[in-house]
Amino acid sequence: MNEQIARDVVLVRAIETADEKREVLSEDDRMYASRSARELAQWQASGKQAEATSDDFLQQRSEQIIKRITERTPAFGVFAKRRNGLKTLARTLPILALLLGAGLDRITDPHRVDLLSAPLLLIIAWNLLVYLGLFIWLFIPSHPLGWPRAPMVRYLSVGKLSLPRKLPHALSTGLLSFMGEWAHLSAKLTSARLSRTIHLSAALFAIGAVISLYARGFLSQYEAGWESTFLGASQVHGLLSFLFAPAISLFHLQGFSLAEIEALRFPQTTAAEGGARWVHLYASTIFLLVVLPRVVLALVSNWRASRLTQHFPLDLDQPYFRKLNDSIGVATEGMLRVLPYSFTVDEPRHKALGQIAIMLFGEQGRVMLRPSTSYGEEPQDVLRGTDLNDAQVNITAVLFNLMATPEKENHGAFLDYLVKSSTRGIAVLLDESSYLERAGEQADKGARLAERIALWQQFCQFHKTTATLVNLLDPSLHPLDAGVGLKLSVAT
C-alpha cells in the first residue's frame, strides 16, 4: 500500500485502540465499516478479475471510519487532512539556499578573485567533509545520528503537534498515539525526504555562489591575487594544484605555474584576463566536487522516498490487522512466542497462553513457549540460538511474574537486549495470578496490587516497552481486545 493509505490505516488503528469504551466508534460502527469495506473490496477485485486483498479491505475500511468520525466531529477532519511539515521545508529551503549562495560575494571584494577565497574554499571543504561522514556512516548503520531530534521528526512527519479543540478524550488520546507511532513508522521516509531537500539545497547554494561570481564578472573587472601570513608561494601552488586538478583535467582548463602564483601575491595583481581564468577554475571545481555529487545524492534520496511512498512498509502481521483480515478470509496462522524470565510455567498457565494467542490471532493462533531464562543469566548467552526476527513468529513476548521486583541489572538488561535485537518489537506479559494467590483476602490487596502494577509499568516504559497485564489462571479477567492486542516496543 502507498503512504496515504498506510497513514489512514494507522490513524484508524490508533483511534480504535484508544477507544476501549466505544465512545468514538460503537461496535455497530466497526462492524458496519468492516462489512462495507469487505463488499467494496470484493466488488473492486471482481472488476479486476482478481481476489480481494487485505490492502484493499484495509483501505476501504479506514476510509469508511475516517468519514464517519469526520461527520460526527468536524474538527477531526481538519486533523485528518493536515499536511506534514516537510512540504513547506522542501519548497522554501532550496530557494533560500540559492539566494544565500547568490549573496555570498557581498562579504568578499567585488573587484577581486581571491585565490584563497575563504567562502569558496569553505563550501568545498564542508561538502568533502559531509561526503566523508556519509561514507563512514555506511559501516555503522545501527547507531542513530541523534539528529533530527524526535520532536522535529514528529513535526516533519505529521505536521503541527497541537490537536484541534473540542475532541472527545478517547479521540484525542488516539490522535496523540498516532502522531508518535506514525513518526516512528515513517522515519525512513521522512529521512529520505529530508536528505533530498538538504542535498538539493546544498547544490543550489553552491550554484548561487557560482552564478553570483559570474554575474559580477560581467559588471566588474576582476583582478586575481592572494595573501597569507603563514603560507608561501610554493605551498599555495601545491594546494591549488591539488584542488583544481580534476577541473583542469576534465575541462582542459589552463593550468598555472609556481612563478605565476608568486607573481599574484599581494599587492601585485594581474590583468583582467587572469581574473577570468581563476573564476573558471573555481566554478568548475565547485561543479565537480559540490554540485554534481549533491545532485546525485538528491536523486538517490528521491528514489528512496518514491519507493517508500508507493510501497510503505507496514507490518500487516500484527494482531489488529490479522483479526480484520480474518473477516475476508485471508488470515493465516499466527504465532505468539513467549520468553519467560525467572518464571516456571505450569500446565494451566501454558494452556492460558494458548488462549491468549487465540485472542490475538483468532482460532488459528498458536503459542511457542521457550524455556525460562534463569535469574541473572546473560541474555546474549541464553538467546544465542534464537532468531528474534523469525518471519514465522508474529509476536515475541517476555513473560514476567508480578510477584518479582524489577531490577535494572537483570530484568532491565533482558528487556534492553530484546528491544535492541528485535526489529519487529517486543511485547511484555505481566502475570498477576501468583501475586493474587499469595495476597489471598488481605484488606489492602487492591491498593498493593495497583502499586505493584504501576511499578512494573514504569519500569517497562523506562526500557522502551509496555507491560500488558494478564492472568494466566483466568485469561478472561484481562481479555485482549481483538482490535488492540499487545503493544510492541520500538526497536532502537
Side-chain angles (χ1 to χ4, degrees):
M1 62 179 64
N2 61 37
E3 176 195 8
Q4 183 59 50
I5 296 175
R7 184 184 186 276
D8 291 345
V9 169
V10 173
L11 175 59
V12 169
R13 179 177 65 175
I15 294 173
E16 288 189 278
T17 301
D19 186 27
E20 297 179 356
K21 297 181 179 179
R22 306 301 195 260
E23 298 173 354
V24 179
L25 291 167
S26 66
E27 196 62 37
D28 289 340
D29 291 332
R30 303 182 190 210
M31 293 178 61
Y32 175 79
S34 296
R35 184 170 60 252
S36 300
R38 181 175 61 250
E39 294 173 354
L40 287 171
Q42 292 174 346
W43 178 73
Q44 289 182 344
S46 63
K48 302 176 183 177
Q49 297 183 347
E51 296 292 333
T53 66
S54 59
D55 286 11
D56 295 333
F57 170 69
L58 292 173
Q59 175 186 0
Q60 296 295 338
R61 187 176 186 276
S62 62
E63 290 178 355
Q64 293 278 340
I65 290 179
I66 290 175
K67 181 180 179 181
R68 179 64 60 88
I69 299 176
T70 301
E71 291 173 351
R72 295 174 179 173
T73 312
F76 169 77
V78 177
F79 179 91
K81 296 178 181 179
R82 178 183 293 178
R83 295 185 176 183
N84 59 49
L86 262 177
K87 292 186 177 181
T88 302
L89 184 68
R91 293 171 182 171
T92 58
L93 188 60
I95 297 175
L96 182 62
L98 180 65
L99 296 176
L100 289 175
L104 187 66
D105 67 323
R106 295 291 181 181
I107 63 175
T108 61
D109 189 340
H111 299 285
R112 176 176 171 178
V113 178
D114 193 345
L115 273 60
L116 298 178
S117 173
L120 298 181
L121 289 175
L122 185 60
I123 290 175
I124 297 172
W126 169 251
N127 282 273
L128 292 178
L129 185 62
V130 169
Y131 306 150
L132 178 61
L134 292 175
F135 177 75
I136 294 175
W137 210 253
L138 292 175
F139 300 96
I140 47 175
S142 60
H143 300 282
L145 281 170
W147 187 91
R149 297 294 181 184
M152 178 179 288
V153 171
R154 185 173 298 186
Y155 172 75
L156 295 177
S157 300
V158 300
K160 298 178 180 179
L161 304 184
S162 60
L163 291 178
R165 297 181 179 180
K166 300 181 180 179
L167 291 178
H169 176 71
L171 185 55
S172 297
T173 302
L175 296 185
L176 288 173
S177 174
F178 161 75
M179 288 193 291
E181 185 177 11
W182 184 250
H184 167 66
L185 292 175
S186 62
K188 291 184 178 179
L189 177 57
T190 301
S191 175
R193 288 172 170 167
L194 185 59
S195 296
R196 177 183 61 191
T197 300
I198 291 176
H199 290 312
L200 182 59
S201 299
L204 288 175
F205 181 82
I207 290 174
V210 171
I211 290 176
S212 176
L213 197 62
Y214 275 106
R216 188 167 290 277
F218 283 104
L219 303 175
S220 304
Q221 181 175 345
Y222 279 138
E223 295 180 342
W226 66 276
E227 56 183 337
S228 174
T229 302
F230 302 105
L231 299 179
S234 59
Q235 293 171 310
V236 173
H237 177 265
L239 173 64
L240 296 180
S241 297
F242 176 78
L243 180 63
F244 295 144
I248 293 174
S249 175
L250 289 176
F251 298 111
H252 305 290
L253 299 176
Q254 181 182 357
F256 46 88
S257 64
L258 176 59
E260 289 178 300
I261 296 296
E262 181 66 45
L264 292 175
R265 186 163 189 168
F266 181 83
Q268 300 174 2
T269 58
T270 62
E273 301 81 52
R277 174 169 57 159
W278 296 103
V279 169
H280 296 326
L281 285 172
Y282 261 114
S284 301
T285 299
I286 289 177
F287 172 78
L288 290 176
L289 300 184
V290 180
V291 177
L292 188 59
R294 287 288 194 168
V295 170
V296 171
L297 290 171
L299 290 175
V300 171
S301 297
N302 183 68
W303 173 79
R304 288 178 51 220
S306 299
R307 181 169 58 89
L308 291 171
T309 299
Q310 296 302 319
H311 305 283
F312 193 89
L314 186 61
D315 185 6
L316 298 182
D317 276 339
Q318 296 181 15
Y320 172 86
F321 299 117
R322 297 177 65 89
K323 278 289 187 179
L324 291 177
N325 290 336
D326 186 50
S327 64
I328 58 173
V330 298
T332 57
E333 180 178 303
M335 180 65 70
L336 170 66
R337 174 170 54 190
V338 179
L339 306 175
Y341 185 85
S342 189
F343 194 128
T344 300
V345 180
D346 55 20
E347 185 175 353
R349 290 179 172 83
H350 191 174
K351 291 181 179 179
L353 289 172
Q355 296 179 41
I356 290 176
I358 293 175
M359 290 181 188
L360 294 171
F361 302 114
E363 292 301 323
Q364 299 185 71
R366 300 292 181 268
V367 64
M368 177 197 300
L369 180 63
R370 297 301 306 272
S372 178
T373 300
S374 300
Y375 178 84
E377 283 191 274
E378 294 294 333
Q380 56 268 29
D381 296 333
V382 178
L383 302 174
R384 181 173 295 144
T386 302
D387 182 6
L388 295 175
N389 299 303
D390 188 350
Q392 303 300 319
V393 176
N394 303 101
I395 292 180
T396 297
V398 182
L399 177 60
F400 289 127
N401 193 332
L402 185 63
M403 288 182 60
T405 300
E407 298 178 358
K408 180 180 179 181
E409 296 79 8
N410 296 293
H411 306 84
F414 192 70
L415 285 177
D416 290 342
Y417 175 80
L418 291 173
V419 171
K420 182 178 179 181
S421 303
S422 176
T423 59
R424 302 185 69 177
I426 295 295
V428 176
L429 294 175
L430 190 59
D431 178 36
E432 68 173 8
S433 60
S434 298
Y435 185 90
L436 293 178
E437 281 184 328
R438 174 169 293 188
E441 299 299 329
Q442 296 180 11
D444 60 345
K445 180 177 68 174
R448 295 177 61 185
L449 175 64
E451 291 178 0
R452 175 66 60 151
I453 293 173
L455 173 65
W456 268 100
Q457 289 176 337
Q458 292 175 2
F459 178 81
C460 290
Q461 289 176 359
F462 179 79
H463 292 280
K464 300 182 176 62
T465 57
T466 301
T468 300
L469 188 67
V470 295
N471 189 308
L472 294 187
L473 292 182
D474 187 1
S476 63
L477 291 178
H478 303 286
L480 297 179
D481 192 312
V484 178
L486 302 179
K487 294 183 179 180
L488 303 181
S489 66
V490 175
T492 56

